[in-house]
Amino acid sequence: MNKYLPTIGIEIHTQLATKSKMFCGCDNDSKTAEPNTNVCPVCLALPGALPVINKGAVELAIKLGHGLNAKIATHTSFDRKNYFYPDSPKGYQITQMDEPIIQQGFVEILIEGEFKKIGVHHAHLEEDAGKSTHPAGASYSLVDFNRAGTPLVEIVSDPDMHTPTEAKRYLQEVYNIATTLGITHGDMEHGNFKFDLNISVSDTDKLGTRTELKNLNSFRNAERALKYEIQRQIDLLEDGEEITQETRGWNDSKGITVSQRGKEHAHDYRYFPEPDLPPLELQVDFITTIQKSVSSVVLPIIVRRELSELGLTSNEQDILIGQAKTRDIFNDTTKILQPKLHKKAVNWLVGDYQAWMTENSEAKSQLTAENLTDLIELVEADSISSKTAKEIFGEVVLGADPNKLIADKGLTQVSDDTELKKIISELITQNPQAVADYQSGNAKAAGFFVGQVMQATKGQANPGKANTLVLKLLEAHTNE
Amino acid sequence: MADLAYLSIAQAHEALQSGKVTCVELTQYYLDRIKKHDESIGAVLTLCSDTALEAAQKVDEKIQAGKDMGLLEGIPYTAKDMFLTAGVRTTAASKILDAFIPPYSATVIDKLNSAGAILIAKVNQDEFAHGGSTENSAYQITHNPWNTEYVPGGSSGGSAAAVAADFGIFSLGTDTGGSIRQPAAYCGVTGLKPTYGLVSRYGVVAMASSFDCIGPITRSAEDATLVLNAIQGRDVMDSTTIESTENHQSSKDLKIGVVKELMNDSRYSEALKAINGLGKKNDVTLPDGDMALAVYYVLVSSEISSNLERYDGIRYGSRNDSATNLEQTYSLTRAEFLGPEVQRRILTGTYALSSGYYDAYYKKAMQVRTLITQEFAQIFADCDVIVTPTTLEPAFKIGSKSDPVEMYKTDILTVSANLAGVPAISIPAGIDEKTGLPLGLQIIAAQGNDAQVLAVAEAFQKTTEWHKKVEEIIQ
């Protein structure tokens, strides 16, 4: 099956976090608005209404261009994409076809320890449509135009991805860039970040026939849908059948992709230059000023490179990149913790800390770099066991000082050889059968003694040390 | 009460200011005149008597208080039904907007309102401005006040007829390919198509966005200047608008380009003599008219097909309720409520923009449009204005042009100015002896030289009387 190479290209639609809509002054936030109340002649497409380009949307596009390592066009223009649908008030969408504002960029993703560049063909400004709902059993549909005219940037990748994981990583990376730069609120459940996946497989140099998986809004589902679709296409080819170029949707509950062709014919959108908007000429100074305003923002790729050098896995990186506060704790910790222990800090932050936040909430967290550092160093110095550290971690997250905590609770680890030796000697005397087992070659018997030591010290013994001493004393006993 | 017939803006202003007439009396004069004569003319679609008289009352209070009056204050006017007027029905002469009452007004209506002008009526036009005779109105035929057997021209035929019949002192029209100038010529009045972008299109029903111009129809160039001054200039709501420019040149060493093959027409010999007195003539050739017309109809129809997509029966306007699915809602609604010429242009434009045809039609036409614009720029390197007839013939009889292409050809001398975005005016410049109908002279200047066009027209009207002939047609 490996003879087929999948090729994936992605279109991402991200809603911009502007104050007003793309071509009118209406509020760009309709979360609490009643349907069709956040509208005006322009976004309702009344006769005579004309669009005016939102400067804020242009500025966000320029910032995004910076994050995508792309060129910003000094001459950019808008086009009409004509189609009839009730939630398309004008009967056309204003978009950018020939001269998009963002051109030729790339995004770097980390795949198996290597950074790979995924080309961004272009990204363009456009407007969202209204929202149609089709009440079950009703003889009518409803349209809410509050969303009509919401600014969007569509980011079109080159067909540079070849596995579902690459596609997922690309999506996550673009999402991280867009949210870090404040381009979008990134609320995926509310459609702030949606994507269409183009996928084909081929066993030759020529690209195969592609299908388009439309309207996904979850990284995990993107990966699942691609896995399914790649296999579906390969199976068809193996059976000697042809791939139909079509739009397919992802059925999440069944875990399959489904053809959405139905009655719809191939659309002819009759694109032509938007005559109501003169081309937008952007001054180089303006572009530079906007890009400078975000030049100090630490882009995800910078963070990722640093984390990668520390040996963090992609998943560990994702957690730190996705959680600004956690990343801050980590960054502060690396400033006071000795470098060879940085990985330990990561383990805490992506392991126990994540679990704690799932059970509680990030808002409740009082975890500081100082306390985390102390906790790691206490374990490292054998002052407390890892087990103890895990037990008190919850309190440390709530702001407790680990040193004070173990002193108050008398949790200091028993590492004193003399005391441990005394306990072990007593145990050897009390358990002749286990000693005999050990001597007859049953290695498990040693484990029994370590367990007994831990029990006797109520878990405060250093398990490694206990193990060493048990073996040493058993050997001594045997040789006596 | 003074004689109020055919007042100019300045005369009406003086009469109001001096108390010779009250604004209510003046407004009532036009309302009465409409009542008396519109039955035979058919210019008015919606009369605004109440709001007009209310506004007039306020102007009178202001005059009585001895306050200074702007020149347009208290001046009654009419507007083509393309202009959105808040609270006043606006149909674009289409059944699809039969019951449409806009919640907002066009920028130009707001500007005239703030200047104190009084809207007395919304007037007839070809449906969505598609036509050259006003016969394409979904509501009524408008008759030429000079001879009611004839069309008033179009698409701003209601406006031109209203000004000719003295239903108000001026009217607002729209000109996409000649729709102000051609009816102005047919009705013996003055019609200005300003430089593209000089007057805001916001709140004006769109025909073809890159062509549509808003301008005044008046009885003199002097009045056209006053109205243009009030409505021109950059509008934040229309991104294609430009700042108004003042580049009025003295007419002393004026260079006038004359299109010889068109002006060598005995009907224009008197007009040519008047032109001789205005400056130095030289011969020029206009961009090929047939080509301009072809390019014009490809591009205009393309933009129409897109601009009229919003009339879908979903959010406002008429809807056919017998539809059982979405596609039918569109097709039945648009088939029932859009007229045949509108449908013809939508189909033409849809075809021209379709994939596989776009390059051959729309794109090619855009390239030719650029060439025509360049040709105009070259012509204006050698002269300040060009003069041509506005139309090849005067008004034609109602019902005499059933072939749409014949109708399109009435725009052959006017469309070039729209393709190039340059200002052009039509002024009365003769009477056709055969029909007794007026003839129009078109004066064109380079982009932004609207003041030049107006200055030449005004100078022409200082030495000629044709623009006053209209005062004799209805007593």
Side-chain angles (χ1 to χ4, degrees), chain A residues 255-266:
Chain A
I256 58 169
T257 65
V258 197
S259 173
Q260 290 186 331
R261 266 188 315 151
K263 228 178 113 193
E264 232 173 306
H265 328 280

Side-chain angles (χ1 to χ4, degrees), chain A residues 345-394:
Chain A
V346 171
N347 292 343
W348 278 110
L349 291 172
V350 303
D352 293 70
Y353 187 49
Q354 297 299 316
W356 186 90
M357 284 197 291
T358 313
E359 271 173 44
N360 303 276
S361 81
E362 187 174 16
K364 282 193 200 156
S365 166
Q366 308 265 337
L367 183 63
T368 64
E370 288 76 16
N371 286 345
L372 180 61
T373 301
D374 285 352
L375 189 68
I376 293 167
E377 284 177 344
L378 282 167
V379 176
E380 197 57 26
D382 283 343
S383 301
I384 56 171
S385 66
S386 319
K387 187 162 166 277
T388 304
K390 278 179 186 291
E391 280 165 11
I392 64 168
F393 183 67

